Amino acid sequence: MASEDDNRFMEYAILLGEKAAALGEVPVGAVVVKDNEIIGEGYNLRETGKNPLTHAEMIAIHYACEKLGGWRLSGCTLYVTLEPCPMCAGAIVNSRIDRVVFGAPDPKAGCCGSVINLFALPFNHRPALSAGVLEEECRVLLQQFFKQLRKKN
Ligand SMILES: [Zn+2]
């Protein structure tokens, strides 16, 4: 179930996704929240950084760990506009994030139920999952980006 807070943090993740779009990046935004406070945020920088590791979630996790001074993000929730890929879902498990909230599903790479649900497998940590929070807004963010891209090409 999505709460008012879930919507609020997802709205902020969408704003971050728009920053990525402005750089010509596929618009994905993510925030890590602890005790109702954003402790890490990021947006996709794969092209800008020329680095496949710089997904929104990886950057948000990086800053959250820096802020907390450790790799363990217990008690944290990660919000992301698009369903996490295998790399990010793995990082979520490894950082012990309690809960993941995503907006739009990713039928091609999603690891929270689309291609596979990594969080349902018997790893040493299984985050709780909420799908489809502001799904329509998150989907439109991506659709608009790809529409613009097609116009350019
Ligand atoms: Zn990813």
Side-chain angles (χ1 to χ4, degrees):
M1 272 287 286
S3 69
E4 239 169 74
D5 287 336
D6 284 348
N7 288 343
R8 186 161 55 90
F9 289 124
M10 189 61 84
E11 263 162 30
Y12 188 71
I14 291 170
L15 286 181
L16 292 170
E18 284 167 357
K19 286 190 187 181
L23 295 174
E25 300 277 359
V26 173
V28 181
V31 292
V32 175
V33 171
K34 187 168 193 185
D35 300 329
N36 231 20
E37 187 199 340
I38 292 174
I39 58 165
E41 62 180 67
Y43 47 90
N44 178 32
L45 285 172
R46 189 174 59 178
E47 304 294 340
T48 310
K50 298 179 169 49
N51 185 342
L53 305 180
T54 50
H55 282 187
E57 302 96 309
M58 303 293 278
I59 296 168
I61 287 170
H62 170 83
Y63 285 119
C65 289
E66 218 171 64
K67 173 119 183 175
L68 294 185
W71 59 268
R72 237 178 243 277
L73 298 182
S74 305
C76 295
T77 299
L78 181 138
Y79 294 84
V80 58
T81 55
L82 182 67
E83 183 181 356
C85 75
M87 170 180 72
C88 294
I92 288 161
V93 169
N94 278 318
S95 57
R96 310 285 193 268
I97 286 172
D98 278 8
R99 180 171 173 245
V100 173
V101 180
F102 74 84
D106 183 353
K108 286 182 185 159
C111 283
C112 302
S114 288
V115 175
I116 194 171
N117 183 359
L118 235 80
F119 302 159
L121 297 177
F123 289 114
N124 52 351
H125 177 73
R126 288 190 219 180
L129 187 60
S130 301
V133 171
L134 300 188
E135 178 173 348
E136 191 52 34
E137 288 88 336
C138 292
R139 198 194 302 273
V140 166
L141 176 69
L142 285 162
Q143 279 170 346
Q144 278 177 344
F145 175 79
F146 286 111
K147 204 154 89 182
Q148 292 267 316
L149 203 63
R150 276 195 297 271
K151 250 188 243 166
K152 257 188 248 165
N153 295 334

